[in-house]
Amino acid sequence: MALSNDRLLGKMAMLGVLDESYLSEIEKQGWKYCTGKAGSMDSQKVVAAIETAAKNEGVIHTGIYRETHSLYHAIMEAFHGVTRGQVQLGTVLRTVGLRFIVVRGNPYEKKEEGDWIAVALYGTIGAPVKGLEHEAIGLGINHI
């Protein structure tokens, strides 16, 4: 049941969101993934952009609730990292500009462990004034 050191889902998601050259490593694992960008003062719009991309690219199946539910929790966990635990944006005059990646695969040696999903976010957060932001990063991982 050991987590395999050469199949670290979260690590590959973080590297993939930071540097696109790592996407080939994700592909070598046979994992599904999608990438994109989202920016808003409304956290719902960011969540919706990530969820829509994952569904449109076939990372999760649209009609299966547990997959959508797992993705939602991974997104929220990653968003907590970006927002330092306060998942509010516009109501406290903050905005984000993020790149994201959603990676789905089995990080364990045993196939029976099933798939997990990782969401990595990287970009900027700050006041809604150009130049008044700083870098932020977040990672969320959940089982499907």
Side-chain angles (χ1 to χ4, degrees):
M1 183 168 107
L3 186 63
S4 177
N5 282 334
D6 63 342
R7 297 179 60 83
L8 297 173
L9 196 71
K11 179 180 178 179
M12 293 313 301
M14 293 297 284
L15 291 170
V17 79
L18 293 171
D19 184 347
E20 290 182 359
S21 69
Y22 284 95
L23 297 179
S24 62
E25 294 299 316
I26 294 169
E27 291 170 0
K28 284 180 190 174
Q29 295 290 352
W31 294 340
K32 296 179 182 178
Y33 74 92
C34 68
T35 62
K37 295 179 180 180
S40 181
M41 286 182 69
D42 184 348
S43 58
Q44 292 173 330
K45 290 182 181 178
V46 176
V47 172
I50 298 167
E51 188 174 313
T52 299
K55 288 178 178 179
N56 288 346
E57 296 298 318
V59 177
I60 65 166
H61 298 97
T62 305
I64 300 177
Y65 173 71
R66 67 185 167 85
E67 293 192 9
T68 303
H69 187 76
S70 177
L71 175 62
Y72 172 78
H73 282 287
I75 293 169
M76 294 311 294
E77 185 177 1
F79 214 68
H80 271 265
V82 168
T83 60
R84 298 179 182 175
Q86 305 297 318
V87 187
Q88 298 177 32
L89 293 176
T91 56
V92 291
L93 296 177
R94 294 193 301 176
T95 187
V96 293
L98 301 169
R99 291 196 317 248
F100 66 83
I101 188 169
V102 179
V103 183
R104 176 186 180 151
N106 183 346
Y108 292 93
E109 294 170 356
K110 290 187 177 181
K111 203 181 227 184
E112 296 80 14
E113 293 294 339
D115 282 351
W116 287 63
I117 199 155
V119 174
L121 307 173
Y122 171 75
T124 59
I125 185 169
V129 178
K130 188 75 171 153
L132 298 182
E133 65 267 330
H134 60 83
E135 291 176 293
I137 196 163
L139 173 67
I141 303 173
N142 204 34
H143 58 88
I144 297 180

PDB file of all heavy atoms in Angstrom, residues 66-98:
ATOM      1  N   ARG A  66     -19.204  11.502  -6.952  1.00  0.00           N
ATOM      2  CA  ARG A  66     -18.012  11.393  -6.110  1.00  0.00           C
ATOM      3  C   ARG A  66     -16.786  12.010  -6.771  1.00  0.00           C
ATOM      4  O   ARG A  66     -15.885  12.494  -6.086  1.00  0.00           O
ATOM      5  CB  ARG A  66     -17.753   9.943  -5.697  1.00  0.00           C
ATOM      6  CG  ARG A  66     -17.367   9.017  -6.805  1.00  0.00           C
ATOM      7  CD  ARG A  66     -17.246   7.568  -6.297  1.00  0.00           C
ATOM      8  NE  ARG A  66     -17.187   6.655  -7.394  1.00  0.00           N
ATOM      9  CZ  ARG A  66     -16.067   6.330  -8.044  1.00  0.00           C
ATOM     10  NH1 ARG A  66     -14.925   6.856  -7.675  1.00  0.00           N
ATOM     11  NH2 ARG A  66     -16.098   5.479  -9.040  1.00  0.00           N
ATOM     12  N   GLU A  67     -16.738  12.026  -8.096  1.00  0.00           N
ATOM     13  CA  GLU A  67     -15.605  12.643  -8.788  1.00  0.00           C
ATOM     14  C   GLU A  67     -15.675  14.168  -8.691  1.00  0.00           C
ATOM     15  O   GLU A  67     -14.670  14.824  -8.427  1.00  0.00           O
ATOM     16  CB  GLU A  67     -15.543  12.172 -10.235  1.00  0.00           C
ATOM     17  CG  GLU A  67     -15.219  10.694 -10.333  1.00  0.00           C
ATOM     18  CD  GLU A  67     -14.869  10.233 -11.725  1.00  0.00           C
ATOM     19  OE1 GLU A  67     -14.708  11.079 -12.636  1.00  0.00           O
ATOM     20  OE2 GLU A  67     -14.723   9.010 -11.908  1.00  0.00           O
ATOM     21  N   THR A  68     -16.864  14.722  -8.894  1.00  0.00           N
ATOM     22  CA  THR A  68     -17.040  16.167  -8.754  1.00  0.00           C
ATOM     23  C   THR A  68     -16.784  16.591  -7.310  1.00  0.00           C
ATOM     24  O   THR A  68     -16.151  17.617  -7.051  1.00  0.00           O
ATOM     25  CB  THR A  68     -18.456  16.579  -9.192  1.00  0.00           C
ATOM     26  OG1 THR A  68     -18.671  16.151 -10.538  1.00  0.00           O
ATOM     27  CG2 THR A  68     -18.659  18.077  -9.113  1.00  0.00           C
ATOM     28  N   HIS A  69     -17.266  15.798  -6.370  1.00  0.00           N
ATOM     29  CA  HIS A  69     -17.099  16.091  -4.945  1.00  0.00           C
ATOM     30  C   HIS A  69     -15.612  16.075  -4.557  1.00  0.00           C
ATOM     31  O   HIS A  69     -15.125  16.969  -3.854  1.00  0.00           O
ATOM     32  CB  HIS A  69     -17.880  15.060  -4.125  1.00  0.00           C
ATOM     33  CG  HIS A  69     -17.933  15.341  -2.670  1.00  0.00           C
ATOM     34  ND1 HIS A  69     -18.747  16.305  -2.131  1.00  0.00           N
ATOM     35  CD2 HIS A  69     -17.261  14.785  -1.632  1.00  0.00           C
ATOM     36  CE1 HIS A  69     -18.579  16.335  -0.817  1.00  0.00           C
ATOM     37  NE2 HIS A  69     -17.690  15.421  -0.492  1.00  0.00           N
ATOM     38  N   SER A  70     -14.892  15.089  -5.036  1.00  0.00           N
ATOM     39  CA  SER A  70     -13.462  14.987  -4.761  1.00  0.00           C
ATOM     40  C   SER A  70     -12.716  16.189  -5.339  1.00  0.00           C
ATOM     41  O   SER A  70     -11.845  16.772  -4.678  1.00  0.00           O
ATOM     42  CB  SER A  70     -12.921  13.690  -5.349  1.00  0.00           C
ATOM     43  OG  SER A  70     -11.537  13.601  -5.152  1.00  0.00           O
ATOM     44  N   LEU A  71     -13.047  16.547  -6.573  1.00  0.00           N
ATOM     45  CA  LEU A  71     -12.419  17.705  -7.215  1.00  0.00           C
ATOM     46  C   LEU A  71     -12.690  18.970  -6.410  1.00  0.00           C
ATOM     47  O   LEU A  71     -11.784  19.767  -6.168  1.00  0.00           O
ATOM     48  CB  LEU A  71     -12.913  17.864  -8.648  1.00  0.00           C
ATOM     49  CG  LEU A  71     -12.424  19.116  -9.376  1.00  0.00           C
ATOM     50  CD1 LEU A  71     -10.906  19.116  -9.518  1.00  0.00           C
ATOM     51  CD2 LEU A  71     -13.104  19.230 -10.734  1.00  0.00           C
ATOM     52  N   TYR A  72     -13.931  19.158  -5.982  1.00  0.00           N
ATOM     53  CA  TYR A  72     -14.294  20.347  -5.209  1.00  0.00           C
ATOM     54  C   TYR A  72     -13.424  20.468  -3.950  1.00  0.00           C
ATOM     55  O   TYR A  72     -12.883  21.542  -3.658  1.00  0.00           O
ATOM     56  CB  TYR A  72     -15.774  20.303  -4.818  1.00  0.00           C
ATOM     57  CG  TYR A  72     -16.164  21.403  -3.872  1.00  0.00           C
ATOM     58  CD1 TYR A  72     -16.385  22.702  -4.335  1.00  0.00           C
ATOM     59  CD2 TYR A  72     -16.278  21.159  -2.508  1.00  0.00           C
ATOM     60  CE1 TYR A  72     -16.712  23.725  -3.457  1.00  0.00           C
ATOM     61  CE2 TYR A  72     -16.607  22.176  -1.626  1.00  0.00           C
ATOM     62  CZ  TYR A  72     -16.827  23.453  -2.106  1.00  0.00           C
ATOM     63  OH  TYR A  72     -17.148  24.457  -1.235  1.00  0.00           O
ATOM     64  N   HIS A  73     -13.261  19.382  -3.220  1.00  0.00           N
ATOM     65  CA  HIS A  73     -12.462  19.438  -1.995  1.00  0.00           C
ATOM     66  C   HIS A  73     -10.987  19.702  -2.284  1.00  0.00           C
ATOM     67  O   HIS A  73     -10.321  20.434  -1.532  1.00  0.00           O
ATOM     68  CB  HIS A  73     -12.649  18.173  -1.158  1.00  0.00           C
ATOM     69  CG  HIS A  73     -13.939  18.189  -0.405  1.00  0.00           C
ATOM     70  ND1 HIS A  73     -14.150  18.993   0.692  1.00  0.00           N
ATOM     71  CD2 HIS A  73     -15.106  17.532  -0.624  1.00  0.00           C
ATOM     72  CE1 HIS A  73     -15.388  18.814   1.128  1.00  0.00           C
ATOM     73  NE2 HIS A  73     -15.989  17.935   0.344  1.00  0.00           N
ATOM     74  N   ALA A  74     -10.471  19.158  -3.374  1.00  0.00           N
ATOM     75  CA  ALA A  74      -9.077  19.421  -3.744  1.00  0.00           C
ATOM     76  C   ALA A  74      -8.901  20.893  -4.143  1.00  0.00           C
ATOM     77  O   ALA A  74      -7.900  21.523  -3.778  1.00  0.00           O
ATOM     78  CB  ALA A  74      -8.640  18.498  -4.874  1.00  0.00           C
ATOM     79  N   ILE A  75      -9.878  21.442  -4.858  1.00  0.00           N
ATOM     80  CA  ILE A  75      -9.822  22.865  -5.233  1.00  0.00           C
ATOM     81  C   ILE A  75      -9.830  23.734  -3.983  1.00  0.00           C
ATOM     82  O   ILE A  75      -9.029  24.663  -3.841  1.00  0.00           O
ATOM     83  CB  ILE A  75     -11.002  23.253  -6.151  1.00  0.00           C
ATOM     84  CG1 ILE A  75     -10.889  22.568  -7.518  1.00  0.00           C
ATOM     85  CG2 ILE A  75     -11.071  24.774  -6.319  1.00  0.00           C
ATOM     86  CD1 ILE A  75     -12.149  22.704  -8.377  1.00  0.00           C
ATOM     87  N   MET A  76     -10.745  23.447  -3.061  1.00  0.00           N
ATOM     88  CA  MET A  76     -10.857  24.275  -1.862  1.00  0.00           C
ATOM     89  C   MET A  76      -9.602  24.195  -0.990  1.00  0.00           C
ATOM     90  O   MET A  76      -9.169  25.184  -0.416  1.00  0.00           O
ATOM     91  CB  MET A  76     -12.104  23.889  -1.058  1.00  0.00           C
ATOM     92  CG  MET A  76     -13.405  24.202  -1.779  1.00  0.00           C
ATOM     93  SD  MET A  76     -13.519  25.885  -2.459  1.00  0.00           S
ATOM     94  CE  MET A  76     -13.527  26.856  -0.968  1.00  0.00           C
ATOM     95  N   GLU A  77      -9.000  23.006  -0.919  1.00  0.00           N
ATOM     96  CA  GLU A  77      -7.761  22.860  -0.157  1.00  0.00           C
ATOM     97  C   GLU A  77      -6.641  23.695  -0.788  1.00  0.00           C
ATOM     98  O   GLU A  77      -5.898  24.386  -0.090  1.00  0.00           O
ATOM     99  CB  GLU A  77      -7.355  21.383  -0.087  1.00  0.00           C
ATOM    100  CG  GLU A  77      -6.154  21.129   0.781  1.00  0.00           C
ATOM    101  CD  GLU A  77      -5.806  19.649   0.888  1.00  0.00           C
ATOM    102  OE1 GLU A  77      -6.485  18.801   0.282  1.00  0.00           O
ATOM    103  OE2 GLU A  77      -4.830  19.354   1.594  1.00  0.00           O
ATOM    104  N   ALA A  78      -6.538  23.656  -2.110  1.00  0.00           N
ATOM    105  CA  ALA A  78      -5.532  24.457  -2.814  1.00  0.00           C
ATOM    106  C   ALA A  78      -5.813  25.950  -2.636  1.00  0.00           C
ATOM    107  O   ALA A  78      -4.890  26.749  -2.437  1.00  0.00           O
ATOM    108  CB  ALA A  78      -5.503  24.081  -4.293  1.00  0.00           C
ATOM    109  N   PHE A  79      -7.082  26.310  -2.692  1.00  0.00           N
ATOM    110  CA  PHE A  79      -7.476  27.715  -2.549  1.00  0.00           C
ATOM    111  C   PHE A  79      -7.151  28.231  -1.147  1.00  0.00           C
ATOM    112  O   PHE A  79      -6.778  29.399  -0.985  1.00  0.00           O
ATOM    113  CB  PHE A  79      -8.969  27.856  -2.860  1.00  0.00           C
ATOM    114  CG  PHE A  79      -9.313  29.146  -3.527  1.00  0.00           C
ATOM    115  CD1 PHE A  79      -8.897  29.415  -4.822  1.00  0.00           C
ATOM    116  CD2 PHE A  79     -10.056  30.103  -2.864  1.00  0.00           C
ATOM    117  CE1 PHE A  79      -9.210  30.603  -5.439  1.00  0.00           C
ATOM    118  CE2 PHE A  79     -10.374  31.305  -3.469  1.00  0.00           C
ATOM    119  CZ  PHE A  79      -9.948  31.566  -4.757  1.00  0.00           C
ATOM    120  N   HIS A  80      -7.253  27.374  -0.147  1.00  0.00           N
ATOM    121  CA  HIS A  80      -6.871  27.746   1.222  1.00  0.00           C
ATOM    122  C   HIS A  80      -5.401  28.139   1.270  1.00  0.00           C
ATOM    123  O   HIS A  80      -5.029  29.072   1.987  1.00  0.00           O
ATOM    124  CB  HIS A  80      -7.135  26.602   2.205  1.00  0.00           C
ATOM    125  CG  HIS A  80      -8.499  26.620   2.784  1.00  0.00           C
ATOM    126  ND1 HIS A  80      -8.785  27.211   3.986  1.00  0.00           N
ATOM    127  CD2 HIS A  80      -9.667  26.127   2.313  1.00  0.00           C
ATOM    128  CE1 HIS A  80     -10.076  27.083   4.241  1.00  0.00           C
ATOM    129  NE2 HIS A  80     -10.629  26.423   3.238  1.00  0.00           N
ATOM    130  N   GLY A  81      -4.566  27.430   0.523  1.00  0.00           N
ATOM    131  CA  GLY A  81      -3.149  27.778   0.485  1.00  0.00           C
ATOM    132  C   GLY A  81      -2.915  29.139  -0.146  1.00  0.00           C
ATOM    133  O   GLY A  81      -2.150  29.952   0.377  1.00  0.00           O
ATOM    134  N   VAL A  82      -3.593  29.401  -1.245  1.00  0.00           N
ATOM    135  CA  VAL A  82      -3.434  30.672  -1.948  1.00  0.00           C
ATOM    136  C   VAL A  82      -3.934  31.838  -1.096  1.00  0.00           C
ATOM    137  O   VAL A  82      -3.314  32.898  -1.034  1.00  0.00           O
ATOM    138  CB  VAL A  82      -4.173  30.647  -3.313  1.00  0.00           C
ATOM    139  CG1 VAL A  82      -4.268  32.038  -3.920  1.00  0.00           C
ATOM    140  CG2 VAL A  82      -3.476  29.692  -4.270  1.00  0.00           C
ATOM    141  N   THR A  83      -5.046  31.630  -0.415  1.00  0.00           N
ATOM    142  CA  THR A  83      -5.675  32.723   0.344  1.00  0.00           C
ATOM    143  C   THR A  83      -5.304  32.704   1.826  1.00  0.00           C
ATOM    144  O   THR A  83      -5.906  33.428   2.613  1.00  0.00           O
ATOM    145  CB  THR A  83      -7.210  32.654   0.213  1.00  0.00           C
ATOM    146  OG1 THR A  83      -7.681  31.406   0.725  1.00  0.00           O
ATOM    147  CG2 THR A  83      -7.646  32.829  -1.232  1.00  0.00           C
ATOM    148  N   ARG A  84      -4.353  31.865   2.202  1.00  0.00           N
ATOM    149  CA  ARG A  84      -3.881  31.754   3.586  1.00  0.00           C
ATOM    150  C   ARG A  84      -5.017  31.425   4.547  1.00  0.00           C
ATOM    151  O   ARG A  84      -5.103  31.952   5.648  1.00  0.00           O
ATOM    152  CB  ARG A  84      -3.179  33.028   4.018  1.00  0.00           C
ATOM    153  CG  ARG A  84      -1.955  33.344   3.201  1.00  0.00           C
ATOM    154  CD  ARG A  84      -1.311  34.614   3.662  1.00  0.00           C
ATOM    155  NE  ARG A  84      -0.170  34.915   2.814  1.00  0.00           N
ATOM    156  CZ  ARG A  84       0.538  36.020   2.928  1.00  0.00           C
ATOM    157  NH1 ARG A  84       0.242  36.905   3.842  1.00  0.00           N
ATOM    158  NH2 ARG A  84       1.558  36.231   2.130  1.00  0.00           N
ATOM    159  N   GLY A  85      -5.910  30.550   4.090  1.00  0.00           N
ATOM    160  CA  GLY A  85      -6.971  30.057   4.964  1.00  0.00           C
ATOM    161  C   GLY A  85      -8.239  30.887   4.988  1.00  0.00           C
ATOM    162  O   GLY A  85      -9.231  30.475   5.572  1.00  0.00           O
ATOM    163  N   GLN A  86      -8.236  32.029   4.359  1.00  0.00           N
ATOM    164  CA  GLN A  86      -9.427  32.891   4.320  1.00  0.00           C
ATOM    165  C   GLN A  86      -9.957  32.904   2.895  1.00  0.00           C
ATOM    166  O   GLN A  86      -9.533  33.711   2.090  1.00  0.00           O
ATOM    167  CB  GLN A  86      -9.083  34.318   4.767  1.00  0.00           C
ATOM    168  CG  GLN A  86      -8.428  34.395   6.122  1.00  0.00           C
ATOM    169  CD  GLN A  86      -9.321  33.883   7.237  1.00  0.00           C
ATOM    170  OE1 GLN A  86     -10.512  34.168   7.267  1.00  0.00           O
ATOM    171  NE2 GLN A  86      -8.758  33.112   8.148  1.00  0.00           N
ATOM    172  N   VAL A  87     -10.864  31.995   2.585  1.00  0.00           N
ATOM    173  CA  VAL A  87     -11.330  31.850   1.205  1.00  0.00           C
ATOM    174  C   VAL A  87     -12.346  32.950   0.877  1.00  0.00           C
ATOM    175  O   VAL A  87     -13.514  32.705   0.640  1.00  0.00           O
ATOM    176  CB  VAL A  87     -11.928  30.448   0.958  1.00  0.00           C
ATOM    177  CG1 VAL A  87     -12.242  30.251  -0.517  1.00  0.00           C
ATOM    178  CG2 VAL A  87     -10.942  29.379   1.401  1.00  0.00           C
ATOM    179  N   GLN A  88     -11.862  34.168   0.926  1.00  0.00           N
ATOM    180  CA  GLN A  88     -12.646  35.335   0.543  1.00  0.00           C
ATOM    181  C   GLN A  88     -11.792  36.152  -0.403  1.00  0.00           C
ATOM    182  O   GLN A  88     -10.586  36.243  -0.220  1.00  0.00           O
ATOM    183  CB  GLN A  88     -12.988  36.202   1.752  1.00  0.00           C
ATOM    184  CG  GLN A  88     -13.820  35.549   2.809  1.00  0.00           C
ATOM    185  CD  GLN A  88     -14.010  36.503   3.976  1.00  0.00           C
ATOM    186  OE1 GLN A  88     -14.067  37.710   3.813  1.00  0.00           O
ATOM    187  NE2 GLN A  88     -14.076  35.962   5.173  1.00  0.00           N
ATOM    188  N   LEU A  89     -12.442  36.756  -1.373  1.00  0.00           N
ATOM    189  CA  LEU A  89     -11.700  37.625  -2.282  1.00  0.00           C
ATOM    190  C   LEU A  89     -12.338  39.005  -2.316  1.00  0.00           C
ATOM    191  O   LEU A  89     -11.960  39.895  -1.580  1.00  0.00           O
ATOM    192  CB  LEU A  89     -11.620  37.002  -3.683  1.00  0.00           C
ATOM    193  CG  LEU A  89     -10.781  35.727  -3.804  1.00  0.00           C
ATOM    194  CD1 LEU A  89     -10.864  35.153  -5.203  1.00  0.00           C
ATOM    195  CD2 LEU A  89      -9.345  35.981  -3.422  1.00  0.00           C
ATOM    196  N   GLY A  90     -13.325  39.188  -3.162  1.00  0.00           N
ATOM    197  CA  GLY A  90     -13.920  40.500  -3.384  1.00  0.00           C
ATOM    198  C   GLY A  90     -14.483  41.159  -2.145  1.00  0.00           C
ATOM    199  O   GLY A  90     -14.394  42.382  -1.992  1.00  0.00           O
ATOM    200  N   THR A  91     -15.039  40.357  -1.235  1.00  0.00           N
ATOM    201  CA  THR A  91     -15.641  40.947  -0.037  1.00  0.00           C
ATOM    202  C   THR A  91     -14.597  41.592   0.881  1.00  0.00           C
ATOM    203  O   THR A  91     -14.936  42.427   1.715  1.00  0.00           O
ATOM    204  CB  THR A  91     -16.432  39.889   0.777  1.00  0.00           C
ATOM    205  OG1 THR A  91     -15.564  38.808   1.087  1.00  0.00           O
ATOM    206  CG2 THR A  91     -17.636  39.398  -0.002  1.00  0.00           C
ATOM    207  N   VAL A  92     -13.338  41.216   0.700  1.00  0.00           N
ATOM    208  CA  VAL A  92     -12.263  41.844   1.471  1.00  0.00           C
ATOM    209  C   VAL A  92     -11.257  42.529   0.535  1.00  0.00           C
ATOM    210  O   VAL A  92     -10.093  42.717   0.874  1.00  0.00           O
ATOM    211  CB  VAL A  92     -11.548  40.821   2.391  1.00  0.00           C
ATOM    212  CG1 VAL A  92     -12.466  40.387   3.511  1.00  0.00           C
ATOM    213  CG2 VAL A  92     -11.032  39.626   1.609  1.00  0.00           C
ATOM    214  N   LEU A  93     -11.757  42.888  -0.647  1.00  0.00           N
ATOM    215  CA  LEU A  93     -10.984  43.626  -1.646  1.00  0.00           C
ATOM    216  C   LEU A  93      -9.673  42.957  -2.034  1.00  0.00           C
ATOM    217  O   LEU A  93      -8.609  43.559  -2.049  1.00  0.00           O
ATOM    218  CB  LEU A  93     -10.742  45.062  -1.182  1.00  0.00           C
ATOM    219  CG  LEU A  93     -12.000  45.914  -1.038  1.00  0.00           C
ATOM    220  CD1 LEU A  93     -11.652  47.292  -0.509  1.00  0.00           C
ATOM    221  CD2 LEU A  93     -12.758  46.017  -2.352  1.00  0.00           C
ATOM    222  N   ARG A  94      -9.778  41.661  -2.368  1.00  0.00           N
ATOM    223  CA  ARG A  94      -8.630  40.917  -2.895  1.00  0.00           C
ATOM    224  C   ARG A  94      -9.020  40.315  -4.243  1.00  0.00           C
ATOM    225  O   ARG A  94     -10.175  39.999  -4.493  1.00  0.00           O
ATOM    226  CB  ARG A  94      -8.208  39.781  -1.961  1.00  0.00           C
ATOM    227  CG  ARG A  94      -7.663  40.252  -0.649  1.00  0.00           C
ATOM    228  CD  ARG A  94      -6.973  39.159   0.113  1.00  0.00           C
ATOM    229  NE  ARG A  94      -7.858  38.035   0.402  1.00  0.00           N
ATOM    230  CZ  ARG A  94      -7.470  36.917   0.996  1.00  0.00           C
ATOM    231  NH1 ARG A  94      -6.214  36.757   1.347  1.00  0.00           N
ATOM    232  NH2 ARG A  94      -8.312  35.945   1.233  1.00  0.00           N
ATOM    233  N   THR A  95      -8.038  40.135  -5.086  1.00  0.00           N
ATOM    234  CA  THR A  95      -8.239  39.505  -6.377  1.00  0.00           C
ATOM    235  C   THR A  95      -7.099  38.523  -6.637  1.00  0.00           C
ATOM    236  O   THR A  95      -6.021  38.665  -6.064  1.00  0.00           O
ATOM    237  CB  THR A  95      -8.329  40.551  -7.510  1.00  0.00           C
ATOM    238  OG1 THR A  95      -8.691  39.905  -8.728  1.00  0.00           O
ATOM    239  CG2 THR A  95      -7.027  41.303  -7.699  1.00  0.00           C
ATOM    240  N   VAL A  96      -7.370  37.512  -7.470  1.00  0.00           N
ATOM    241  CA  VAL A  96      -6.328  36.550  -7.819  1.00  0.00           C
ATOM    242  C   VAL A  96      -6.187  36.451  -9.337  1.00  0.00           C
ATOM    243  O   VAL A  96      -7.140  36.677 -10.084  1.00  0.00           O
ATOM    244  CB  VAL A  96      -6.618  35.129  -7.262  1.00  0.00           C
ATOM    245  CG1 VAL A  96      -6.546  35.107  -5.758  1.00  0.00           C
ATOM    246  CG2 VAL A  96      -7.940  34.591  -7.759  1.00  0.00           C
ATOM    247  N   GLY A  97      -4.998  36.113  -9.752  1.00  0.00           N
ATOM    248  CA  GLY A  97      -4.696  35.746 -11.132  1.00  0.00           C
ATOM    249  C   GLY A  97      -3.884  34.465 -11.052  1.00  0.00           C
ATOM    250  O   GLY A  97      -2.738  34.485 -10.596  1.00  0.00           O
ATOM    251  N   LEU A  98      -4.484  33.335 -11.425  1.00  0.00           N
ATOM    252  CA  LEU A  98      -3.870  32.030 -11.157  1.00  0.00           C
ATOM    253  C   LEU A  98      -3.735  31.165 -12.400  1.00  0.00           C
ATOM    254  O   LEU A  98      -4.603  31.183 -13.276  1.00  0.00           O
ATOM    255  CB  LEU A  98      -4.718  31.260 -10.139  1.00  0.00           C
ATOM    256  CG  LEU A  98      -4.939  31.903  -8.786  1.00  0.00           C
ATOM    257  CD1 LEU A  98      -6.006  31.153  -8.009  1.00  0.00           C
ATOM    258  CD2 LEU A  98      -3.642  31.969  -8.006  1.00  0.00           C
TER     259      LEU A  98
END
